[in-house]
Amino acid sequence: MSLASTAADRLSRLALGTTFAWLGYEAATNPGGRVDAAADLGLPNPEAAVRFNGAAMAAGGAALALGILPRVAALGLVGSLVPTTIAGHAFWKAEDPQVRNANRIQVLKNLGLAGGLLAVAARR
């Protein structure tokens, strides 16, 4: 692997990992309105689910940023994006066009993040 490729690999993991570490920490320590979104999914203990998912994102993000089992961390983060996206950005349910568009943008952003994470997971 070339020096440029190694640097790009490290920078991409740092960028992706830091994002998840920060946002996961926020969700775990201050679940706020995310609890209502999780409750709408019918989860029995939505606050615990939000905190657990946030902690998983924080841990996975930190591991990815630090290069600790990056492929495993990336796959775990993809898994954590699924419930986050479904609960938090259900654009298909929104009647207000502005809300629908804002949530569609968030879904597409999460799809892009998932693509980056899958690229990390596929590295040899």
Side-chain angles (χ1 to χ4, degrees):
M1 189 179 293
S2 72
L3 181 61
S5 178
T6 300
D9 181 57
R10 288 184 180 156
L11 284 173
S12 67
R13 286 188 289 102
L14 184 62
L16 282 166
T18 301
T19 299
F20 282 97
W22 184 275
L23 296 175
Y25 173 79
E26 285 184 349
T29 59
N30 185 19
R34 297 174 191 92
V35 175
D36 292 336
D40 288 345
L41 293 179
L43 297 174
N45 189 342
E47 183 174 345
V50 170
R51 288 182 186 276
F52 177 81
N53 192 53
M57 282 186 167
L64 184 62
L66 296 171
I68 300 168
L69 298 172
R71 295 172 74 189
V72 173
L75 288 174
L77 289 168
V78 169
S80 73
L81 269 177
V82 173
T84 299
T85 303
I86 291 170
H89 307 297
F91 69 88
W92 53 91
K93 292 181 181 179
E95 294 184 21
D96 180 329
Q98 287 182 314
V99 172
R100 181 185 307 254
N101 188 53
N103 280 325
R104 185 182 306 117
I105 289 168
Q106 292 300 314
V107 168
L108 292 171
K109 180 229 2 140
N110 285 358
L111 183 62
L113 286 170
L117 291 166
L118 290 172
V120 170
R123 293 228 9 118
R124 292 185 185 250

